[in-house]
Amino acid sequence: MKFRAKIVDLACLNHFTRVSNMIAKLAKTCTLRISPEKLNFILSDKLASGGVSMWCELEQENIFSEFQMEGVSAENNAIYLELTSENLSRALKTAQNARALKIKLTNKQFPCLTVSVELVSIYLPALKTMKSVVEKMKNISNQLVIEANLNGELNLKIETELVCVTTHFKDLGNPLLPSESVSQSRHPEDMAEVHIDIRKLLQFLAGQQVTPTKAVCNIVSNRTVHFDLLLEDVSLQYFIPALS
C-alpha cells in the first residue's frame, strides 16, 4: 500500500482542517478510507448498543494538488486506516499558514499517517547583529514579534502602550525548498508572524559562540518559530512556541 498527497492552496488547507476539526468533535476514533477519487471518514458503532454511524466524503481533487495511492490490490484499490481523530486535527492545526502540507502513509512499527509542512523560511542576518538588537529591545518589552515573508524580509518588532520599535532586515534571501510550488493566495510580500518571549530568543542568541555556516528561520504563524543552524559538523534545531 502506498499513499502520498500534497496541499498547496491555503483555502483548501483551511477547508481540510475544518473538516478534520468537525470529525474530531464527532468521534474519538474513526476509519479513514482512501481511494483514487475520494477520502471517507467512517464511524460505525454497534447500533444494537445505541451507537451512532457517520460517513463523511471528500473529493480528493477538490483538496489536493498532488495525490498518489495504491491500495491492497488492483481489485480492492483502497486503503483503510483507523485514526485517533484528535491527533489528525492537531497535526493539521500546526499547518495553518504553512506554504504547503504533505501527507503520506508510513510504516513505523505499524502503518500511520505522517503530516509534514513547508514553512515560511528565511535566512537569518548575522546573529551578533540580531543579538545586539534584541538586547536593546529587551529593555523595553518582554514580548517580541518576529515576522518574515518570501521576499527576503524579516522584522523584529516590540510594542508597548508608549512605544513601537521595529528593526527591518532586507534582502536576506529564502532557501530553495524541494518544491517551489506556492499557493496563489500567498503573495511573496505577505508576512507570517509569531509573538514570542523575548528572553527565550535572547537565550538562544547568547548561546551562539561559533558563526554558523547556515542559519535559517522557519515560522508557523501564531504557533512557533524554528531556528535551523549548521555549526561546522553540528546541526542545531531550536523551537520557541508562540505566546498564548
Side-chain angles (χ1 to χ4, degrees):
M1 297 185 296
K2 296 181 181 179
F3 169 65
R4 65 174 60 241
K6 184 175 182 178
I7 306 174
V8 298
D9 185 83
L10 186 60
C12 292
L13 176 56
N14 289 338
H15 178 63
F16 190 53
T17 301
R18 287 193 294 268
V19 171
S20 175
N21 293 342
M22 177 186 70
I23 299 298
K25 292 179 180 179
L26 294 175
K28 291 184 178 179
T29 62
C30 67
T31 299
L32 174 63
R33 179 182 184 271
I34 304 170
S35 65
E37 294 84 22
K38 298 177 181 180
L39 268 68
N40 299 105
F41 293 93
I42 306 166
L43 174 65
S44 182
D45 288 340
K46 294 181 180 180
L47 295 177
S49 58
V52 298
S53 295
M54 174 189 72
W55 179 274
C56 178
E57 184 171 280
L58 294 172
E59 297 284 344
Q60 66 89 357
E61 64 180 9
N62 294 335
I63 302 292
F64 301 97
S65 59
E66 299 176 16
F67 190 92
Q68 300 174 356
M69 65 84 59
E70 293 180 12
V72 177
S73 64
E75 295 77 21
N76 184 20
N77 194 17
I79 300 172
Y80 292 84
L81 289 171
E82 185 174 354
L83 299 177
T84 300
S85 305
E86 188 176 2
N87 288 347
L88 178 61
S89 175
R90 286 177 176 176
L92 293 177
K93 283 180 181 178
T94 65
Q96 289 180 345
N97 297 303
R99 53 185 284 154
L101 176 138
K102 297 179 181 178
I103 305 176
K104 65 179 179 178
L105 179 64
T106 57
N107 192 357
K108 299 178 180 179
Q109 297 182 339
F110 52 86
C112 64
L113 284 182
T114 298
V115 177
S116 59
V117 298
E118 293 178 5
L119 312 175
V120 174
S121 298
I122 189 168
Y123 289 113
L124 288 171
L127 297 187
K128 288 185 178 180
T129 302
M130 194 171 170
K131 176 175 175 286
S132 176
V133 170
V134 174
E135 282 178 333
K136 293 180 175 63
M137 288 182 164
K138 182 179 177 294
N139 295 326
I140 303 174
S141 174
N142 288 328
Q143 298 185 16
L144 173 83
V145 177
I146 299 180
E147 57 182 15
N149 61 20
L150 298 175
N151 209 28
E153 299 172 333
L154 182 143
N155 300 327
L156 302 177
K157 181 168 58 177
I158 57 172
E159 295 180 356
T160 69
E161 294 180 355
L162 301 176
V163 66
C164 175
V165 179
T166 304
T167 300
H168 303 274
F169 298 94
K170 297 184 178 181
D171 302 320
L172 296 175
N174 301 92
L176 291 175
L177 299 176
S179 171
E180 279 298 297
S181 299
V182 181
S183 167
Q184 293 181 356
S185 62
R186 179 172 293 282
H187 192 277
E189 294 183 355
D190 290 347
M191 288 287 184
E193 70 172 40
V194 60
H195 295 243
I196 62 171
D197 186 330
I198 196 170
R199 294 166 296 183
K200 292 181 179 179
L201 176 59
L202 191 57
Q203 183 180 28
F204 162 71
L205 295 172
Q208 306 312 311
Q209 304 299 319
V210 180
T211 301
T213 55
K214 183 190 76 169
V216 174
C217 172
N218 303 306
I219 296 174
V220 179
S221 282
N222 303 319
R223 298 206 173 266
T224 189
V225 58
H226 163 228
F227 297 99
D228 180 8
L229 303 187
L230 184 61
L231 307 161
E232 296 179 350
D233 59 345
V234 177
S235 175
L236 174 65
Q237 311 286 325
Y238 194 86
F239 297 83
I240 303 178
L243 293 171
S244 57

